[in-house]
Amino acid sequence: MLDLGRLKALNAVAVHGSVGAAAEVLGYTPSAVSQQIAKLERETRTTLLERSGRGVRLTDAARLLAGTASQVLKLVEEAEVALEEQRGAAIGRLCIGAFATAARGLLPGVLAGLIDQHPALDVRLTEIDPPNATEAVARGELDMAIVHDWANTPLPVPESLSRVHIADDVAEVLIPATNPLSRKEFLEPADLAEQRWICQTEGSICYDWLVRTFHGAGIEPVVAYQISEYRTQIALLDKGIGVALIPRLGRGEVPDSVKAVPLRPTPTRRLYAVWRTQASRRPAITAALDVIRQVS
């Protein structure tokens, strides 16, 4: 009988494209993953990996076996879900992913609630951006993720995942108090046409949202400072540099030197919890959803 751990290692290499990437996801060393696959080769009497430049590639036989391994691992997860459901208790390991501000503004309360209400549950948290998070959940690397999107910048979610809306998060324009616009009751995109923006890096959901929103108003925003972390953005604003659109969740205190001014129409991002549909009956998933609703 084929060893499940070795099949898992082969499947990880097939999904992630290299032994090193597979090792990082599985929490092993590359040497350990190579050893698992070498044992699987001896077990099946088949060559599974071939050298290709500095890396390796899967043979045709390996791809066939990896496809079967993926189906087997799904069946194993279904069995684990059924057993956990029968016990009726949230137990085992629950790996949650969350984007930075949710990890700071939402997850501390969620983790505390789960630890208090379900002490037998081993909860792990990983900070990860929404597009990567949904893929990680679909691949089975995470059990659940907290993600977000904007109305004009929807987040693609794989068909194998379920999701539920958990909260809305309003964003405001943060602007140095020395800027005359900081004294307005509210701002419209046209008011900000000549401003130099601080924003997340190009390709992020927030960057795409900013560009699309201002393009819709016929404005080309000047994104002069691409900064991922909101606290760093606020540090620039504190020195009188730029303007930024920052959601309230996880934002923390704003210094007196920076003013938060509403934007019209009000920009609101939607927060979701996503998980694999086949794990919906797992008590750990339902327990996490219950606590998320309590906290949010």
Side-chain angles (χ1 to χ4, degrees):
M1 182 178 294
L2 298 178
D3 181 87
L4 187 62
R6 295 164 195 168
L7 289 175
K8 189 174 183 179
L10 178 64
N11 181 67
V13 174
V15 169
H16 301 286
S18 72
V19 170
E24 184 175 351
V25 168
L26 295 173
Y28 301 155
T29 64
S31 176
V33 172
S34 296
Q35 290 175 19
Q36 289 284 76
I37 294 177
K39 291 177 181 178
L40 187 58
E41 288 182 322
R42 292 195 295 270
E43 194 174 40
T44 60
R45 300 176 184 176
T46 305
T47 300
L48 300 174
L49 296 182
E50 293 179 339
R51 285 288 174 188
S52 178
R54 294 186 176 181
V56 296
R57 68 175 184 85
L58 273 67
T59 63
D60 290 341
R63 294 188 183 282
L64 177 64
L65 186 56
T68 302
S70 177
Q71 298 175 32
V72 169
L73 293 171
K74 288 179 181 178
L75 290 173
V76 170
E77 181 180 27
E78 290 176 5
E80 292 173 340
V81 168
L83 286 172
E84 190 175 325
E85 183 182 25
Q86 187 180 45
R87 295 188 187 103
I91 59 174
R93 179 175 294 184
L94 182 71
C95 298
I96 302 176
F99 59 96
T101 49
R104 181 168 59 246
L106 177 65
L107 267 296
V110 171
L111 295 184
L114 286 172
I115 291 169
D116 179 59
Q117 299 174 36
H118 305 281
L121 192 60
D122 177 12
V123 187
R124 307 292 178 96
L125 174 62
T126 299
E127 187 176 300
I128 183 171
D129 288 335
N132 295 331
T134 55
E135 294 175 4
V137 174
R139 291 193 298 259
E141 298 160 18
L142 295 172
D143 298 305
M144 174 182 286
I146 306 301
V147 299
H148 72 84
D149 66 9
W150 304 84
N152 65 351
T153 313
L155 176 69
V157 176
E159 293 183 1
S160 60
L161 304 188
S162 293
R163 72 174 181 176
V164 63
H165 175 256
I166 57 175
D168 289 328
D169 186 20
V170 171
E172 297 166 310
V173 177
L174 265 62
I175 189 165
T178 54
N179 189 318
L181 292 177
S182 68
R183 295 187 286 275
K184 293 179 69 74
E185 181 180 356
F186 64 87
L187 294 167
E188 296 180 348
D191 298 323
L192 298 159
E194 303 301 323
Q195 299 299 312
R196 293 169 63 81
W197 283 93
I198 308 168
C199 187
Q200 274 69 26
T201 55
E202 187 172 356
S204 67
I205 292 177
C206 292
Y207 181 98
D208 291 345
W209 177 88
L210 181 73
V211 171
R212 289 182 185 181
T213 296
F214 280 84
H215 281 179
I219 299 168
E220 183 65 45
V222 179
V223 182
Y225 315 101
Q226 296 189 33
I227 306 294
S228 296
E229 174 55 47
Y230 286 136
R231 297 310 303 172
T232 305
Q233 293 186 19
I234 292 175
L236 293 180
L237 294 165
D238 182 45
K239 297 300 183 181
I241 299 170
V243 300
L245 189 79
I246 301 183
R248 293 174 181 170
L249 178 66
R251 186 172 71 191
E253 293 185 6
V254 177
D256 293 339
S257 58
V258 178
K259 301 301 180 183
V261 184
L263 181 66
R264 301 266 179 93
T266 304
T268 304
R269 63 179 181 177
R270 304 166 297 193
L271 274 60
Y272 301 93
V274 298
W275 66 95
R276 289 183 299 285
T277 300
Q278 67 187 36
S280 293
R281 302 190 321 275
R282 185 183 173 195
I285 295 294
T286 57
L289 290 173
D290 287 342
V291 173
I292 289 168
R293 292 188 184 100
Q294 294 168 19
V295 172
S296 60

